[in-house]
Amino acid sequence: MSGDARHLGTLLLEEGLLTEDQLETAVGSQQESGLPLGQVLIEQGVLTEAQLVKALGEQIGVEYIDLGEVSVDPAAVAVIPEYLIKRYTLLPVAIDDEGRMVVAMADPANVLAIDDLRAVSGYEISARVATRTDLEEAIRRQATFDESVSDLAELANEENESDDLEGLSVAAEDAPVVKLVNTIVTKAVSERASDIHLEPGESDLRIRFRIDGVLHDVMSAPRGISNAVVSRVKIMADLNIAERRVPQDGRISLRVAGRPIDLRAATLPGIFGEKVVLRILDKSAGVVDLGDLGFLDNNLKRYESAYTKPYGAILVTGPTGSGKTTTLYSTLSVLNRPEVNIITVEDPVEYRLAGITQVQVNRKAGLFFSTALKSILRADPDIVLIGEVRDSETAKIAIEAALTGHLVLTTLHTNDAPSSIGRLLDMDVEPFLVGSSIDAVVAQRLARKLCDRCRVRFAPEASRLRALGWEEAWGYPDDLFRAEGCTSCSQTGYKGRVSINEVMLVNEEIQHLIVERASSDRIAKAAMAEGMRTLRQDGLEKVRLGMTSIEEILRVIA
């Protein structure tokens, strides 16, 4: 065994990535084939390519980068000529805070490649090692994106903003427009975006992605192709491209990188054209386990005590995009058993759940939440999920269903758990019905999680923590974490999201307050005395645990 192979074998043993027996077998195969030890280990299935490359990076003192987890900055890519990217199998990822260009390389020990990059870009180079497979795929995606933008520029020079319907249909099917829309969707999925915003302005078409709950500018396209791009999306969603005066909504199903993806399309007429928002639903992701949503043990036990009852109503409240539907789907996945009949009425049906009857609201056909709910209650359900209580009739039927032996799960738009009671009373539901039917109200927000790779410790001031509502009983921590930013999280300091919850269980005292039409403040005091932790308290506890930051809690909770 050569010196390099011996060194690599020792390193892999120390990392616990293989055993002595596996190493001996691989060395024997290497001596017979003459192939590098690493390649032999991959072929034998002992190591993955990523594990090997990471180990090789440690061997030469270069950090490993997972291109599947980082967002590539197009501005950095634009600095390096395409021929150098392909010649050396590398990809610029970002410009870091110290003004260096971060470059993912298959061979970071290639001094000639680094010298060429430095000479061409004028930047100092900070090399990272990545797998050749990931690099080739990332380079291909970037080339497709660049080509789409280039084709689009040519098309914009030829196109004008025609209102001719036939011409618009032809333009929407034009190859550059089709390629651009496909590339935007692919890029959004690869960057973990939840929504795509296409926004026509006075001089351009602005394209933004919502990632971890925050919108980010991605690119601007020429104003001249705005109508063609919007029409392409409307054709994909089977919407009327001739109708631009009223909002429309539809659904698109497609495969992106081999994964089944659903897009909910919604159009909104604006003064410069129709804005389109595409909500991305990754069907391959499946329903998230309740324990992975961010419920702390205490809140999870409180919530379980409500949804494991055979009847009653559970409300999940919060603004749009706060994860209410995800929480309900996760709850249904726990409750879904062969001996239980579960029926849902939704607008729209976001995820298909096996073993559950799901009904889609259809306003054109006269199928509303209230009308669907009346029919559902005649279909012998045990558990009913109502996508949203929007009107008095739906609220009354849902409450009555909870009183007649059904478990009813639904959502409501309120700021916190106690105020949901007042919202139902405003819908003319009788107070005694509300008090006797509702078992629990879960208020929810989604906060961004701190990036594990770059979060930074700091010493907080006790006076500031007290002002934020920090409980003295917790003790004041010596240190917390704050966001910093790195290539893995696109310099945001955050990656992924965690739910912030408050779980209000309706006990006898709260029932009396509801019947008395007491204020939400009085109900909140009674709920806290019963054991409810407010959204802010739950958020601060997650700050203490290092999940998120104080700034993020202040952003999502008033």
Side-chain angles (χ1 to χ4, degrees):
M1 184 165 59
S2 69
D4 286 345
R6 188 181 299 112
H7 189 184
L8 175 61
T10 303
L11 182 65
L12 293 172
L13 285 171
E14 289 173 354
E15 291 287 328
L17 295 174
L18 77 169
T19 63
E20 290 278 4
D21 290 342
Q22 288 172 328
L23 180 58
E24 286 180 19
T25 303
V27 169
S29 299
Q30 181 205 18
Q31 290 171 347
E32 290 178 14
S33 64
L35 295 172
L37 177 62
Q39 187 176 337
V40 171
L41 289 166
I42 291 172
E43 289 178 356
Q44 291 181 346
V46 177
L47 289 180
T48 65
E49 186 183 3
Q51 287 173 322
L52 175 64
V53 168
K54 191 172 184 179
L56 289 170
E58 290 177 5
Q59 188 179 12
I60 61 174
V62 177
E63 185 181 335
Y64 169 75
I65 186 169
D66 185 347
L67 290 174
E69 294 187 355
V70 299
S71 178
V72 176
D73 183 355
V77 178
V79 176
I80 304 300
E82 186 179 357
Y83 76 89
L84 282 181
I85 289 174
K86 291 182 175 177
R87 176 191 294 173
Y88 296 121
T89 315
L90 55 82
L91 188 67
V93 173
I95 308 299
D96 69 15
D97 293 340
E98 297 176 18
R100 300 174 303 177
M101 178 177 285
V102 178
V103 181
M105 305 178 68
D107 181 12
N110 189 333
V111 178
L112 181 61
I114 292 175
D115 285 344
D116 283 352
L117 290 175
R118 189 184 293 116
V120 167
S121 68
Y123 287 97
E124 284 299 315
I125 306 301
S126 177
R128 304 284 191 275
V129 64
T131 68
R132 188 171 292 275
T133 303
D134 284 355
L135 270 167
E136 288 172 350
E137 174 61 22
I139 290 168
R140 185 193 62 76
R141 284 200 308 265
Q142 195 62 40
T144 303
F145 187 71
D146 292 344
E147 189 180 335
S148 297
V149 176
S150 176
D151 289 345
L152 200 60
E154 292 178 16
L155 181 68
N157 290 331
E158 301 168 8
E159 292 286 338
N160 52 30
E161 290 188 76
S162 172
D163 285 329
D164 173 58
L165 186 58
E166 186 176 346
L168 198 56
S169 299
V170 172
E173 298 291 355
D174 212 346
V177 173
V178 172
K179 187 188 292 184
L180 176 72
V181 172
N182 292 344
T183 304
I184 289 170
V185 172
T186 303
K187 187 174 178 65
V189 171
S190 70
E191 296 191 7
R192 304 175 297 104
S194 60
D195 301 86
I196 302 169
H197 289 241
L198 307 175
E199 303 166 323
E202 188 173 5
S203 57
D204 61 5
L205 173 67
R206 186 186 190 191
I207 298 164
R208 297 193 288 173
F209 294 165
R210 187 178 293 280
I211 302 172
D212 292 335
V214 178
L215 281 169
H216 300 271
D217 280 315
V218 177
M219 63 174 286
S220 293
R223 179 73 179 89
I225 52 85
S226 174
N227 285 343
V229 171
V230 171
S231 295
R232 172 60 188 165
V233 174
K234 291 171 77 172
I235 288 170
M236 293 170 70
D238 197 24
L239 303 179
N240 183 0
I241 67 169
E243 181 57 78
R244 303 182 191 172
R245 298 165 299 173
V246 297
Q248 299 183 67
D249 58 81
R251 195 180 190 108
I252 304 167
S253 294
L254 67 165
R255 297 187 75 83
V256 177
R259 291 153 55 191
I261 300 291
D262 272 1
L263 302 174
R264 273 170 44 192
T267 70
L268 190 66
I271 58 172
F272 296 117
E274 290 177 283
K275 174 187 172 81
V276 177
V277 178
L278 298 171
R279 168 66 58 88
I280 300 171
L281 306 170
D282 186 350
K283 294 192 287 186
S284 66
V287 176
V288 181
D289 185 85
L290 263 177
D292 296 330
L293 290 177
F295 281 91
L296 296 178
D297 288 344
N298 180 56
N299 274 348
L300 187 57
K301 287 175 184 174
R302 288 167 62 83
Y303 183 42
E304 281 178 352
S305 71
Y307 72 68
T308 50
K309 291 181 179 179
Y311 55 85
I314 296 174
L315 305 180
V316 181
T317 77
T320 302
S322 59
K324 300 186 297 295
T325 304
T326 301
T327 297
L328 289 181
Y329 277 157
S330 299
T331 307
L332 284 188
S333 70
V334 176
L335 297 172
N336 190 9
R337 304 184 304 276
E339 66 270 21
V340 175
N341 180 23
I342 302 177
I343 305 179
T344 77
V345 53
E346 306 169 61
D347 183 24
V349 174
E350 293 195 8
Y351 292 98
R352 271 73 169 179
L353 302 174
I356 293 175
T357 303
Q358 294 175 274
V359 179
Q360 168 79 53
V361 166
N362 187 336
R363 289 180 175 76
K364 292 178 183 176
L367 183 63
F368 300 95
F369 277 111
S370 56
T371 51
L373 195 50
K374 290 175 184 175
S375 300
I376 285 171
L377 294 177
R378 291 194 289 268
D380 188 31
D382 296 296
I383 299 170
V384 179
L385 184 147
I386 307 166
E388 184 182 346
V389 171
R390 297 179 179 175
D391 55 68
S392 175
E393 188 177 6
T394 305
K396 288 175 181 176
I397 298 171
I399 293 299
E400 287 169 6
L403 288 170
T404 53
H406 304 90
L407 179 62
V408 178
L409 309 174
T410 189
T411 71
L412 204 61
H413 284 269
T414 60
N415 289 327
D416 56 23
S419 60
S420 62
I421 303 300
R423 180 83 180 93
L424 287 174
L425 298 180
D426 289 342
M427 291 182 180
D428 294 327
V429 183
E430 290 295 334
F432 72 91
L433 292 177
V434 174
S436 54
S437 64
I438 293 178
D439 282 323
V441 184
V442 180
Q444 187 166 303
R445 297 289 189 279
L446 288 178
R448 291 180 295 171
K449 291 174 69 175
L450 284 167
C451 175
D452 290 335
R453 297 191 180 188
C454 65
R455 62 180 188 172
V456 175
R457 291 181 183 273
F458 76 100
E461 296 177 7
S463 58
R464 188 188 180 201
L465 294 179
R466 278 194 297 272
L468 291 171
W470 194 279
E471 292 186 13
E472 197 168 337
W474 296 346
Y476 297 112
D478 294 329
D479 53 21
L480 296 174
F481 290 94
R482 60 174 171 80
E484 177 71 10
C486 65
T487 54
S488 177
C489 60
S490 304
Q491 304 301 327
T492 62
Y494 300 94
K495 192 166 187 180
R497 289 193 284 181
V498 62
S499 67
I500 310 298
N501 324 93
E502 76 180 14
V503 182
M504 182 179 83
L505 299 180
V506 178
N507 60 10
E508 192 172 338
E509 182 184 355
I510 294 174
Q511 284 181 355
H512 288 315
L513 290 172
I514 293 171
V515 172
E516 294 172 11
R517 293 181 178 270
S519 68
S520 59
D521 286 344
R522 286 182 63 194
I523 293 173
K525 286 179 183 177
M528 285 188 280
E530 179 272 332
M532 182 187 82
R533 304 186 75 172
T534 66
L535 284 167
R536 178 165 288 204
Q537 288 171 334
D538 188 62
L540 290 175
E541 174 65 5
K542 282 162 185 169
V543 169
R544 189 181 69 81
L545 294 171
M547 296 182 184
T548 188
S549 67
I550 290 175
E551 291 74 19
E552 185 64 6
I553 295 303
L554 293 177
R555 184 183 72 84
V556 299
I557 300 170

